Amino acid sequence: MKFWQSDHVFNHPWTIVSSAFWRKYPNDYSTSVVGTDTIDRYIDDDGKLHSTRLIISSWKIPSFMKYFMPSPYGYAVEYSVVDPVLKTLELRSRNLNAASLFSFVEKVVYSEESETETKLSHEARISCHACRLLDRKAEEWIESTVDKNAKFGLLGLSSIINMVESEAQMALKAVDEFASDTIKAVDEIAIALDGFKSDTLRSVEGLATETMKSFEEIKNEAQDGMGVIGEEVDRLRTDMLDTGIKST
């Protein structure tokens, strides 16, 4: 049996690293992984995300192992749990094909080390039981292959992390620009409303002035009319008195 272990710290927040993990394949470095397929996914009552995936890999199997593993493709099932509260992403995987000849069990944990750092703990247990003469050699080959693929995996994930971080920065920039444009638009609307308010007040004041002026003119005309009527009444009264006197 062989036991392999490795640790690494990413200088990126856990949210960025965990987001990049789900986009890890394909990448230009981890060419051994040829495909993934999500079999099951759900969120439990505690808000944890549970996923089950099928991982398909292509390994350049050495000649002494081809008798036991004729297919160049390896199939593994991966179980993962994401805890957004504790900020951990833990996954376990094991081989499906040739399980009667060898066992490959892998555990990977991404955990928050600090607000700007994420720790990766990676370990694997390898056990071959196909042939006593070849088991040790097979375990050593699998261990060296795991070590090599893990290094390429770090490079691949780092490239995805940089891409995700760049996308996040672009999204934040777009949000800032949208907020700035929105504030500018609101300010322009406020200025327009103030202008409309001022024009409306001026119109109302002008209308009120014209109305008062009209009322004054009507009042004056009415007063003038009453004066004329009074004069006419006095004239008629005088004429009537004169007529009466003449009659007498």
Side-chain angles (χ1 to χ4, degrees):
M1 178 182 290
K2 290 287 185 178
F3 182 79
W4 178 89
Q5 193 271 336
S6 177
D7 293 324
H8 180 77
V9 176
F10 294 97
N11 294 318
H12 299 275
W14 178 84
T15 51
I16 295 293
V17 176
S18 59
S19 297
F21 167 79
W22 298 109
R23 300 170 61 179
K24 183 177 179 180
Y25 304 113
N27 65 72
D28 295 334
Y29 300 93
S30 302
T31 56
S32 61
V33 178
V34 296
T36 63
D37 189 15
T38 301
I39 301 172
D40 186 31
R41 177 167 288 171
Y42 67 93
I43 298 176
D44 64 19
D45 295 337
D46 296 325
K48 297 177 183 178
L49 175 65
H50 296 253
S51 303
T52 303
R53 298 195 301 175
L54 178 67
I55 311 296
I56 306 171
S57 303
S58 176
W59 286 14
K60 295 180 180 179
I61 301 173
S63 57
F64 73 90
M65 290 183 62
K66 288 183 178 180
Y67 178 79
F68 305 103
M69 298 176 62
S71 174
Y73 295 103
Y75 299 87
V77 61
E78 173 195 273
Y79 305 94
S80 63
V81 180
V82 179
D83 190 331
V85 177
L86 297 179
K87 293 187 177 180
T88 59
L89 165 56
E90 180 176 337
L91 62 94
R92 297 173 183 271
S93 61
R94 60 179 178 83
N95 62 299
L96 293 177
N97 58 329
S100 60
L101 303 176
F102 80 99
S103 172
F104 177 77
V105 179
E106 186 179 29
K107 178 182 177 182
V108 180
V109 179
Y110 297 88
S111 58
E112 184 180 66
E113 189 78 356
S114 68
E115 291 184 357
T116 59
E117 293 181 325
T118 302
K119 181 179 180 180
L120 164 63
S121 297
H122 191 178
E123 61 183 50
R125 189 176 71 249
I126 307 152
S127 177
C128 294
H129 35 80
C131 175
R132 290 184 179 182
L133 297 176
L134 299 176
D135 285 348
R136 183 179 179 85
K137 190 175 181 180
E139 290 175 354
E140 290 176 349
W141 176 81
I142 294 174
E143 181 185 26
S144 65
T145 302
V146 170
D147 186 73
K148 180 182 67 175
N149 289 342
K151 291 176 181 178
F152 282 121
L154 285 177
L155 294 174
L157 184 57
S158 295
S159 68
I160 303 300
I161 288 172
N162 292 332
M163 182 179 67
V164 171
E165 199 162 53
S166 177
E167 291 175 351
Q169 291 174 354
M170 291 177 61
L172 289 174
K173 182 180 179 181
V175 170
D176 288 341
E177 291 177 350
F178 175 77
S180 178
D181 292 342
T182 302
I183 292 173
K184 183 179 179 181
V186 170
D187 289 341
E188 291 175 351
I189 292 172
I191 293 172
L193 288 175
D194 287 340
F196 175 76
K197 179 180 177 182
S198 299
D199 293 342
T200 302
L201 287 175
R202 284 196 293 269
S203 298
V204 171
E205 290 173 354
L207 180 61
T209 300
E210 292 295 328
T211 302
M212 291 301 296
K213 183 178 179 180
S214 298
F215 284 159
E216 289 295 330
E217 291 176 350
I218 293 172
K219 180 181 177 182
N220 293 333
E221 291 176 359
Q223 288 177 348
D224 293 342
M226 291 299 294
V228 171
I229 292 173
E231 291 176 358
E232 188 67 24
V233 170
D234 289 340
R235 188 181 65 77
L236 289 173
R237 184 184 293 114
T238 301
D239 291 344
M240 290 177 66
L241 289 175
D242 292 342
T243 301
I245 293 173
K246 291 178 178 180
S247 298
T248 302

